[in-house]
Amino acid sequence: MEDRNIIELFTERSERAIVELSEKYGNVCMKVAYNVLGNKEDSEECVNDAYLGVWNAIPPQKPNPLLTFVLRIVKNLSLKRLKYNTAKKRGADIPVCFDELSEVLTDMNLENSPEARLDIEMTAKVIDEFLETLSYTNRYLFVRRYWYMDSYESLSGETGLKEAAIRKRVSRMWTDLKLRLKSLEEGLSYA
Amino acid sequence: MHSLTESLFRAIDGISDRHIEECAVFDKSKIGKKENLSFVSAKPKRKKHRIKKTILLAAIIPVIASMTLFVGSGGKNTEIEEIPINIREGIFTLSYVEVEKGTLLHRMKIVMVPSLEINGEAMLSAPEKFSDEAESLVALHKENGFEELVLPSDFSSEKWAVSEKNFFISDDNRHWNSNVVLESEKGSVRLNVTRKFFLEGSRIIMNYNKPKRAESMVLNGLDVVIVEQAYGSISVEYFTRKTHGNGTTEDYGYSFVFNGYTFEEVTEIVRTLP
C-alpha cells in the first residue's frame, strides 16, 4: 500500500492503518529498535509504542516520507529505553557504534577536551553534504552503520562485501569527514 | 555516553530524510558500474577472460580441419599456451613439441583394479559393498564405455583408503563430476572424472605455468593423455571422444591428481600402463 493511503487510513482513524504500517515498515522498525536495544522484547515494545506515537501524530501531521517519520520515532523511543535500561543497569549495552564515534572524536583531539562542543545542526549539515559526495554503496554503509546502527556482519550480509572491506571503507569515509568537520569553524567551536 | 559523542551521534541522527529513506533497503541497481567491480574482486582481471573469448570465437568459426580439446581452463595463472591438434582421418595427432607419438598405443580403459582396496574392500570385486557414490562412479564409467580403471600394477600392493568422496550430477544433467580420493602411505590419488562438453571446432588451450611441466601422449588414436605438474601436484588428464549411434560425438575428460608422487613417477606410471 502506498504511504499516502496509509496516512489516509490514519486520518480516518481506521485501525487498519496500524496493520498496514506494520506490514510495510514493521521489519525495518524492528531492525532499528533491535540495533539500539539488542533485545527482542524491548524492541517490540518500542515499535508498538512508535505505532501509537504515529497514531497520535496523524492527524494533524501528514509526514512525507512516512518511513523516516516512523523510524525516527522508533529510534528515539529505543534510545530512551536504552538510557533507562543503562541507568538502571538492566544489562543493556551502549551500541558499538557509539564507541566508534568516541574514537573519531579522540582522533580529532576533542574527546578529552571538556571545553569542546559540537554544533549539532551544523555538523548534521556537514555530514549531509558529505553523504552527497559518496557513492551509493558508501553512503549506504555509512548511514546504515551510524543511523540504523547495523552491525558490520549485517552490512556484509546485505551488500556482499567482506566485513574487513566495509571497515576499511568506513574508516576512509571518516578520514574525509574528519577533515570536513575540522575545517568547519562555525560547526565546531571551542568555548 | 559522553556529551560530545552524544552530540556527534545526534548530528548523524539529524541527517536528512532522503538519506535515511534511500538506505532503508540496499538497492543493487543503484551501484555504479565502476563500483560494482569491487564486488567481484579488487584484483585485476586475469587472463581467464581471454580464454572465454577464444572459446566464443572458436564456437562461431567452424574449423573443420582442426579439432582441439580444452584443457586446464581454470585460468589459474599467467602464461597461456595454445596447442593445436589436427584431425587426420579421425585420429588426433598432437603437434605439440613434447608429444611422444606412439608411446602408448593402448586404449586407456577406466578400470577399478580388483586388488585396489577401499576400507579393506576390493572395489570392483564387490561394488555392491561400496558407497552409493562409488557405485554410481563405476556405473557411469561403464555406461560411458569404460569397463575398467587402469592403475599401475604396483598400486595393487598398496593399501588404499578413501579419504574423501563425492558425486555430483547437475540439475539439468548436462554434466557430472565424481571425486574420490584414495590414500595410501605412499601418497594419494584423486580420481576426478568430469564429463565435459567440448565445442566442435574449438581450439585446445592449455595453461602452461612454470615450473609446471607437461607431457602429452596419444593413446590409441583418439585418446589423449596429458601429464602436468603444477601447484605441487601432478595431474593426468585424459580425453576421449565417444561417437553415438546417430553419429554425433561427445568428448569426455578425466583427470587424476597424484599427490606425493614425482612428475617422473607419474609419467612412468602412465607410460607403463598395460
Side-chain angles (χ1 to χ4, degrees), chain A residues 3-41:
Chain A
D3 283 1
R4 56 186 166 80
N5 299 122
I6 297 174
I7 291 169
E8 269 175 30
L9 289 172
F10 273 108
T11 310
E12 292 163 8
R13 314 310 287 162
S14 165
E15 288 185 8
R16 228 185 91 216
I18 302 284
V19 177
E20 294 294 342
L21 181 69
S22 171
E23 199 162 288
K24 190 167 184 185
Y25 297 128
N27 286 343
V28 67
C29 287
M30 265 304 287
K31 174 101 176 160
V32 168
Y34 190 84
N35 283 348
V36 175
L37 295 163
N39 175 302
K40 196 184 168 192
E41 288 73 28

Side-chain angles (χ1 to χ4, degrees), chain B residues 80-99:
Chain B
I80 295 170
E81 188 162 316
E82 294 188 5
I83 307 168
I85 298 178
N86 300 314
I87 299 175
R88 288 177 190 160
E89 297 173 353
I91 295 174
F92 285 134
T93 306
L94 295 175
S95 57
Y96 182 45
V97 289
E98 288 188 36
V99 170

Side-chain angles (χ1 to χ4, degrees), chain A residues 120-134:
Chain A
I120 294 173
E121 205 173 313
M122 287 303 292
T123 308
K125 199 179 168 195
V126 171
I127 295 170
D128 240 354
E129 286 168 359
F130 166 72
L131 289 172
E132 293 289 350
T133 67
L134 299 177

